[in-house]
Amino acid sequence: MINLDILNLSLSHRHCSDLRGLLTAVNCGNVKWGNTMQVASTVAKVLALIVIIIAGMVKLCQGYTTNFENSFDDSNLNAGDLALALYSALYSYSGWDTLNFVTEELKNPERNLPLSIAISIPLVTVIYVLTNVAYYTVLDLNTVLDSEAVAVTFADEILGFARWLIPISVAISCYGGLNSTLIAVSRLYFVGSREGHLPTALCMIHVNRYTPIPALIFSGGMSLIYLLVEDVFQLINYFSFNYWLFIGLSIVSQIYLRFKFPDMPRPVKLSLFFPITFCLCTVFLVVVPLYSDTINTMVGIAIALSGVPAYYLCIYLPPDRQPRCLQKLLGFLTLNVQKLCLCCAVDSEDRKEM
């Protein structure tokens, strides 16, 4: 799975909100609609990247190598800046994690989940590297930095009459990236609610369509709030700090369970070398920005901590100890979500029977 949201910085906030609303409606309507859109967008943007790669390689073979001379002069090797740069780069690769959220919807996930990740990550890496080689073959550094959408600028320079294909592909990429995120995050809210970590209203599915409508609407609404941040790179920094912090903690817990419960059934089992190496990388991504980008990192920490009082009041406290007004609010919310969305709650036992 390929996430190319980072290419779509030229979209206005209004277009993003309209797009999010459309994709939310599609995924609420039918699970297959969202899956079909994801497959179509992935095929379209990979084909577009292949066109860019071929065009760039042709130019490279013709001797256009000027932009690669002294490529690393005046490079910034500051650890803090490298960590922040990795935030944006790793965000582009975040499709590897998206698939984990829909494991329950995969056929034979014990085989297909690790297989798909093992195939997709090297494939995406090769495509991304060759795409960047193609870009720098045609465009100089200043042009790349000044461009709002490098793929579109590349197309204007080299593709001639066919340059209109790339803007369309960037738009399709936007659809695909947002759609995969919407699918993944809504499933995260859904499962979290089903396991008792979020309000019950989020673990409901439509009685006929079997789509998690409340979780999808909640995910779409949260996205609109995030659009209040105008600087996309600042938003990525907020998101990435929390993302890598909690991903790292999740991997640490897996290492702990490996030693604490060595005989626990594990459908997917890897050598400890991989999670330990991964944890060391997450330590770098989390600790270094605390010093190099303290203010934005603190904002990210504040965003994460904002969920603590909500969890304590709504989830941790037993119902008989919750404030009466909160009980009424949660009950009102759950009842009306069921009525408005024609949904019913699903718990862990129901999932096992399904």
Side-chain angles (χ1 to χ4, degrees), residues 143-212:
T143 303
V144 171
L145 292 175
D146 294 338
S147 174
E148 292 185 347
V150 181
V152 176
T153 304
F154 177 92
D156 291 338
E157 289 285 339
I158 197 173
L159 293 185
F161 72 92
R163 62 182 180 273
W164 59 270
L165 291 171
I166 300 303
I168 293 176
S169 299
V170 171
I172 294 174
S173 168
C174 183
Y175 274 88
L178 287 176
N179 188 62
S180 65
T181 303
L182 181 63
I183 292 174
V185 174
S186 64
R187 270 54 174 184
L188 178 64
Y189 293 144
F190 175 81
V191 174
S193 174
R194 190 187 65 200
E195 300 300 326
H197 304 302
L198 290 171
T200 306
L202 294 176
C203 71
M204 296 182 182
I205 61 173
H206 193 274
V207 294
N208 296 320
R209 301 180 183 275
Y210 304 109
T211 53

Side-chain angles (χ1 to χ4, degrees), residues 219-238:
S219 176
M222 292 298 294
S223 299
L224 298 180
I225 295 175
Y226 296 147
L227 287 176
L228 296 175
V229 180
E230 295 184 359
D231 187 345
V232 67
F233 291 105
Q234 189 177 43
L235 185 60
I236 289 174
N237 290 347
Y238 294 159

Side-chain angles (χ1 to χ4, degrees), residues 115-133:
L115 182 62
S116 60
I117 293 176
I119 294 174
S120 63
I121 289 182
L123 181 61
V124 171
T125 302
V126 171
I127 290 175
Y128 275 15
V129 170
L130 292 179
T131 300
N132 278 276
V133 171

Side-chain angles (χ1 to χ4, degrees), residues 94-120:
S94 61
W96 71 270
D97 189 39
T98 303
L99 191 60
N100 298 316
F101 293 113
V102 293
T103 303
E104 293 182 357
E105 300 176 37
L106 291 177
K107 296 180 179 179
N108 192 12
E110 292 84 359
R111 173 185 178 275
N112 292 331
L113 178 62
L115 182 62
S116 60
I117 293 176
I119 294 174
S120 63

